[in-house]
Amino acid sequence: MPNTFAVPDYFVSPTLLTRARTIAQEHASLAKRLATDYDVSAARRLGELQSTSTAVREYDEAHSALEELQSLLTSTDQELRELAEEDIQPTRDRIEQASAALKSSLVPVHPFAHLPCLVEIRPGAGGDEAAIFAGDLVRMYKGYCARVGLRSTQLKYDTADEPTHVQEAVLEVDSPGSYGMLRCEAGVHRVQRVPATESKGRTHTSAASVLVLPSIPTEGGGDMGEASFDDPKSDYYVDPKEVKLEVMRAGGAGGQHVNKTESAVRLTHLPTNIVVAMQDSRSQLANREKAWQLLRSRIAQLRREEREEEIAKLRRGAGAGKVGRENKVRTYNWGQQRVSDHRSGLDVRNLDNVMEGGEALERIMQSVRTWMAEQEVLSLVAEEENSQAQKK
Amino acid sequence: MPRLAPSLLRQARAIDVLLPPLLPACRDLRSAENELRWLKDHAIKTGRQCGLAHSDASLKRLVARRARGEPIQYILGTEYFGDLELKCQPGVLIPRQETAASVTHLAQQLSKKRKGRPSDLHILDLCSGSGCIPLLFHHEFYAQPGNEHCKLHMVGADISVQALELARRNQKSQIAAQSKRVTAQTTSLAAMRFLHADVLLSEAANAIHAPIGVVEALQQLTNTRPTPAYEVLISNPPYISSQAFRTTTARSVRNFEPKLALVPDNPSSAPSALDGDVFYPRLLALADQLRTEIILFEVADIDQAQRVATLLARQSTWRTVEIWRDEPGATSDEADHVLLDGGESVPVRGAGNGRSVFAYRGAAAAWLQ
């Protein structure tokens, strides 16, 4: 395509474009077939392909409009040239929009994006300071949820010697779609500051890890789609036989001799050795249910990571790092009052507003969501290229 | 009681000034933190019901009560027993988790085989207290698949009028929590009865005011002369010996829970280490009169379990006798049987302390084995 104005924003890689055109072709032939012979599954497929097909058409139309304008630019007619020059910019904008629509129509919606989620925060390297920072992150996400209107409850808040030293905290964000909003927060968050515990005024670097897990409704639910936890094929399926339930009882004589309240529950998933302990409620039943919910989410996350590992090579080839627990994703620098995200590369100066879960945090999160969408497209392209290579 | 480490108190104070007073009663920081949170929730809830915005003063009062050793269940007014939340009040024994585990296990055992099992089961719980055993048995029994058409006829009996009132209140709130549909489950719950009776009374009482004997009370209930049959007899009787009450029983239990429900009040000549056993022979005599086929009696420890098992072995009518530990369904590496004085070997199931004695005979053997 003779396009001398190609800038990165306009650019849709040839592979992606080929994929889009293949989809558009399938759409056209399906539409033809459906005109004579109605078929439910074909109709559904047509619906899925619709947005890509429309986006390709718009993309092509915008491009041919630009080509036409370019040929007019070489025209000898002065008036015609001026008219063309006026139209060039809007047409470029149109191409840009069409490219974005094309990309987003090809980006698969995350299968768990519609679910509520659990946010687990644990201190990493850095001792007490890391534990304090973990507490700061808990407050940040609580503030964020309150501000954007997501319902959040503190499922677990374990502290060490001091009340501010968080060992493990779990927030349950039970608004639908919160997984899609918050999954960009998963990863290692690094803090650089002079800790409250530091007497000599030295700056320390510590870290806390944030895990974002899609949360399953407690009842085997219809809106889970394919991820029902009674289905052995689902990521959420956990065989009860593989889980050891321990109830912690008061030691000593027991029975009528003591009246201690012991409602703590510990679940161990034997194949993976994942342990979940829950003791916050007086009701053992409630603790059991919460523990199961957490266990299912952790196992599902593990399984997803295992599966992602298989296609990770492709993604790395496309420059997409894995958004797992081992990668440092963001740095909070107190000295410079600055927060920088290492994925999207966005720098924000308003540290206090970020730590309150304010609008500045939303800006960072939005930049990461955009970045993640781009990475998805890139990995899609890599997969496409790979399957093309295998065909040859 | 060992002294609390000063560092622990310091740590507790750093978290919340209300934690240190709770430590002597709770013993560890974990449970103190949990209890403080529950007390806070309770203070806020009750404050809201009274239309009070501030609950600080009432929270301090609750913490002070707990610091004096009062059981948290009496302060909060409820206790979780298995899956049920039951009301508690001073004067009536607080339901224990171990009892819930035994009752749940019994409901599972009675549901393993339904072939040959009568379609109606009559269940009697003696020394019923808060009514926790029949209420949980009912809940767990109908939670098992395949039991929805079996009818349970359940009776609880207690010597304490206060306990009977509480048991009936607990029954009412369980009825309220059930669906309005008429099923074997809902009718069985509504038909549950709590009777005023004295287990230790063997002959018909001639006194007018005193509670009557169990058999007499049951005859009055069904209005029949021949004694009705109860296939299942459950009991968590007072079983602590006067010696163990002084040495083993926790101070909070001794000071705040009714001694009537803990130590048998019997001027017997038994030594003070064994005077906790007086209910069991009487319970077995009742089992014969009521043509009982399945029994589950709670006991204090493995020694008392062996003494009760010996009583059963001497009767020689029981087809199978088992001792259950705190968690009868769990596996453990503890001894899986004990030898009685007469040389009989009795299987011991589960993990934890010896907690109850289970036995069956007659027709029940066919569908329990």
Side-chain angles (χ1 to χ4, degrees):
Chain A
M1 206 168 297
N3 181 5
T4 49
F5 296 94
V7 289
D9 272 351
Y10 291 28
F11 183 69
V12 178
S13 85
T15 332
L16 208 58
L17 209 55
T18 316
R19 187 185 161 82
R21 289 197 197 290
T22 321
I23 288 174
Q25 258 167 31
E26 191 185 342
H27 181 264
S29 68
L30 266 179
K32 206 183 284 171
R33 208 176 86 205
L34 277 169
T36 56
D37 175 16
Y38 188 78
D39 167 13
V40 180
S41 70
R44 193 179 301 136
R45 178 87 186 126
L46 189 78
E48 286 167 9
L49 304 177
Q50 181 70 52
S51 63
T52 308
S53 171
T54 317
V56 171
R57 201 181 316 125
E58 171 61 21
Y59 179 86
D60 285 346
E61 275 169 18
H63 265 286
S64 54
L66 189 67
E67 271 175 61
E68 206 175 304
L69 285 175
Q70 279 174 281
S71 65
L72 287 181
L73 279 178
T74 55
S75 161
T76 46
D77 185 336
Q78 168 76 21
E79 208 176 319
L80 215 55
R81 263 208 318 274
E82 278 170 9
L83 274 175
E85 265 163 22
E86 253 171 54
D87 273 358
I88 280 266
Q89 195 50 47
T91 310
R92 278 186 203 164
D93 292 348
R94 203 177 141 201
I95 291 182
E96 203 172 318
Q97 279 165 14
S99 306
L102 187 61
K103 279 182 198 166
S104 74
S105 81
L106 287 170
V107 175
V109 177
H110 193 282
F112 295 153
H114 65 291
L115 289 176
C117 68
L118 297 172
V119 182
E120 294 187 33
I121 298 164
R122 280 191 208 82
D128 287 351
E129 162 67 354
I132 294 171
F133 180 60
D136 292 340
L137 289 182
V138 174
R139 273 186 296 285
M140 177 175 91
Y141 290 123
K142 277 173 141 177
Y144 174 80
C145 289
R147 198 180 58 81
V148 301
L150 296 173
R151 284 188 308 274
S152 73
T153 41
Q154 204 165 280
L155 213 58
K156 188 168 181 164
Y157 195 81
D158 285 356
T159 52
D161 326 330
E162 302 282 337
T164 48
H165 294 188
V166 172
Q167 288 308 300
E168 183 181 9
V170 181
L171 284 183
E172 180 182 28
V173 188
D174 64 359
S175 304
S178 53
Y179 181 68
M181 289 176 77
L182 288 167
R183 73 187 179 101
C184 57
E185 295 303 289
V188 173
H189 294 237
R190 190 170 68 162
V191 61
Q192 290 174 322
R193 64 177 170 191
V194 182
T197 51
E198 164 69 50
S199 52
K200 298 192 180 69
R202 287 173 298 202
T203 299
H204 288 214
T205 299
S206 315
S209 75
V210 175
L211 218 62
V212 184
L213 308 169
S215 160
I216 10 93
T218 14
E219 296 292 316
D223 81 321
M224 276 299 297
E226 53 188 342
S228 160
F229 57 77
D230 285 329
D231 175 7
K233 288 192 287 283
S234 151
D235 275 347
Y236 283 102
Y237 180 76
V238 177
D239 187 347
K241 284 197 281 297
E242 293 179 342
V243 176
K244 188 171 73 170
L245 168 82
E246 288 164 283
V247 287
M248 286 161 237
R249 295 205 185 281
Q256 291 173 4
H257 284 298
V258 290
N259 55 21
K260 206 171 154 85
T261 303
E262 275 296 338
S263 54
V265 166
R266 184 164 59 203
L267 296 180
T268 310
H269 186 239
L270 301 169
T272 55
N273 237 347
I274 295 177
V275 178
V276 176
M278 199 54 81
Q279 57 153 14
D280 288 6
S281 169
R282 285 177 67 212
S283 155
Q284 204 185 78
L285 177 71
N287 285 333
R288 210 159 58 210
E289 280 172 358
K290 276 187 194 172
W292 263 101
Q293 190 186 357
L294 207 55
L295 184 72
R296 279 204 193 91
S297 295
R298 284 195 190 160
I299 290 173
Q301 179 72 10
L302 194 75
R303 289 182 184 155
R304 263 185 68 78
E305 279 178 11
E306 276 169 6
R307 233 188 4 237
E308 277 173 8
E309 198 61 41
E310 288 169 23
I311 50 171
K313 277 179 221 145
L314 291 169
R315 292 189 178 209
R316 278 194 206 106
K322 182 160 159 279
V323 192
R325 57 183 96 190
E326 70 270 26
N327 289 14
K328 171 186 80 188
V329 296
R330 196 179 292 158
T331 297
Y332 302 74
N333 188 314
W334 252 251
Q336 301 170 9
Q337 288 290 299
R338 183 168 58 94
V339 179
S340 28
D341 196 282
H342 306 295
R343 296 160 298 183
S344 65
L346 186 73
D347 259 341
V348 170
R349 287 276 162 191
N350 201 346
L351 177 94
D352 289 341
N353 187 262
V354 172
M355 294 316 289
E356 285 161 15
E359 181 272 331
L361 177 64
E362 176 63 49
R363 235 177 335 130
I364 302 176
M365 285 169 68
Q366 191 49 51
S367 75
V368 179
R369 286 183 206 122
T370 312
W371 176 84
M372 284 172 105
E374 279 167 16
Q375 298 305 311
E376 291 281 349
V377 175
L378 282 177
S379 70
L380 207 72
V381 172
E383 277 165 48
E384 190 80 355
E385 273 167 1
N386 191 274
S387 66
Q388 294 275 326
Q390 274 172 355
K391 264 183 221 160
K392 276 173 197 165
Chain B
M1 233 182 327
R3 218 169 72 89
L4 292 164
S7 65
L8 187 65
L9 289 167
R10 237 192 347 265
Q11 228 179 46
R13 184 167 297 113
I15 299 171
D16 197 312
V17 287
L18 290 176
L19 273 181
L22 289 176
L23 273 175
C26 299
R27 303 309 298 170
D28 64 277
L29 197 56
R30 257 286 125 84
S31 20
E33 279 187 271
N34 277 335
E35 290 201 1
L36 181 59
R37 200 177 56 247
W38 302 332
L39 290 172
K40 262 183 199 158
D41 291 347
H42 186 69
I44 292 167
K45 205 177 83 194
T46 49
R48 205 175 285 148
Q49 279 162 4
C50 307
L52 295 169
H54 296 286
S55 47
D56 289 7
S58 62
L59 176 62
K60 278 198 188 112
R61 271 197 301 278
L62 298 181
V63 169
R65 281 171 67 186
R66 182 71 185 116
R68 279 195 296 276
E70 185 172 344
I72 189 153
Q73 296 91 338
Y74 284 159
I75 301 174
L76 301 178
T78 65
E79 168 67 327
Y80 286 87
F81 187 66
D83 294 351
L84 306 181
E85 187 182 9
L86 299 178
K87 294 177 172 59
C88 286
Q89 69 180 43
V92 185
L93 189 82
I94 297 161
R96 303 293 202 260
Q97 303 292 342
E98 294 93 335
T99 311
S102 308
V103 170
T104 302
H105 194 67
L106 178 70
Q108 287 164 356
Q109 295 302 308
L110 298 197
S111 311
K112 278 205 316 213
K113 254 201 241 168
R114 291 188 303 280
K115 207 174 162 209
R117 190 181 71 186
S119 63
D120 288 48
L121 281 175
H122 298 78
I123 294 157
L124 178 63
D125 174 42
L126 296 177
C127 310
S128 209
S130 60
C132 59
I133 291 178
L135 290 171
L136 183 65
F137 183 87
H138 174 271
H139 174 83
E140 290 293 336
F141 184 78
Y142 287 109
Q144 297 289 325
N147 284 347
E148 41 294 310
H149 299 303
C150 185
K151 271 198 211 117
L152 297 181
H153 304 267
M154 310 187 78
V155 175
D158 204 282
I159 195 169
S160 153
V161 178
Q162 219 187 338
L164 292 170
E165 275 169 12
L166 181 65
R168 289 179 190 127
R169 280 207 290 144
N170 274 324
Q171 181 191 5
K172 275 206 190 97
S173 53
Q174 290 308 314
I175 291 173
Q178 293 236 321
S179 79
K180 297 283 171 284
R181 272 189 30 239
V182 177
T183 58
Q185 180 174 4
T186 54
T187 49
S188 295
L189 184 60
M192 194 185 288
R193 287 290 172 268
F194 290 98
L195 307 180
H196 194 204
D198 182 352
V199 173
L200 294 180
L201 209 63
S202 48
E203 283 121 47
N206 33 22
I208 302 153
H209 303 295
I212 50 178
V214 171
V215 174
E216 213 183 337
L218 290 171
Q219 283 171 347
Q220 280 185 6
L221 176 73
T222 51
N223 216 354
T224 48
R225 204 61 200 128
T227 314
Y230 280 84
E231 292 96 350
V232 184
L233 177 62
I234 313 175
S235 184
N236 178 14
Y239 54 62
I240 298 178
S241 68
S242 47
Q243 189 191 57
F245 188 68
R246 286 192 302 272
T247 55
T248 313
T249 305
R251 192 185 306 182
S252 159
V253 177
R254 253 184 298 149
N255 293 346
F256 290 91
E257 294 198 77
K259 195 173 176 187
L260 179 70
L262 300 163
V263 184
D265 177 29
N266 192 42
S268 74
S269 53
S272 68
L274 295 175
D275 61 6
D277 293 0
V278 299
F279 271 78
Y280 299 106
R282 183 63 204 135
L283 288 171
L284 288 178
L286 282 169
D288 285 346
Q289 277 180 279
L290 300 170
R291 303 188 288 285
T292 296
E293 293 175 349
I294 301 162
I295 58 155
L296 178 71
F297 299 158
E298 184 165 320
V299 294
D301 51 28
I302 193 78
D303 294 336
Q304 194 171 37
Q306 290 188 48
R307 293 196 297 273
V308 173
T310 307
L311 286 180
L312 288 163
R314 271 192 221 132
Q315 278 196 322
S316 71
T317 54
W318 299 96
R319 174 72 165 275
T320 298
V321 178
E322 290 178 8
I323 293 172
W324 291 356
R325 296 185 196 274
D326 288 336
E327 294 170 64
T331 51
S332 77
D333 35 12
E334 290 159 295
D336 61 357
H337 70 277
V338 288
L339 285 181
L340 302 181
D341 290 342
E344 304 91 339
S345 169
V346 172
V348 184
R349 310 242 184 255
N353 291 319
R355 186 51 59 211
S356 49
V357 177
F358 168 72
Y360 53 83
R361 62 184 174 188
W367 55 272
L368 268 175
Q369 247 165 357

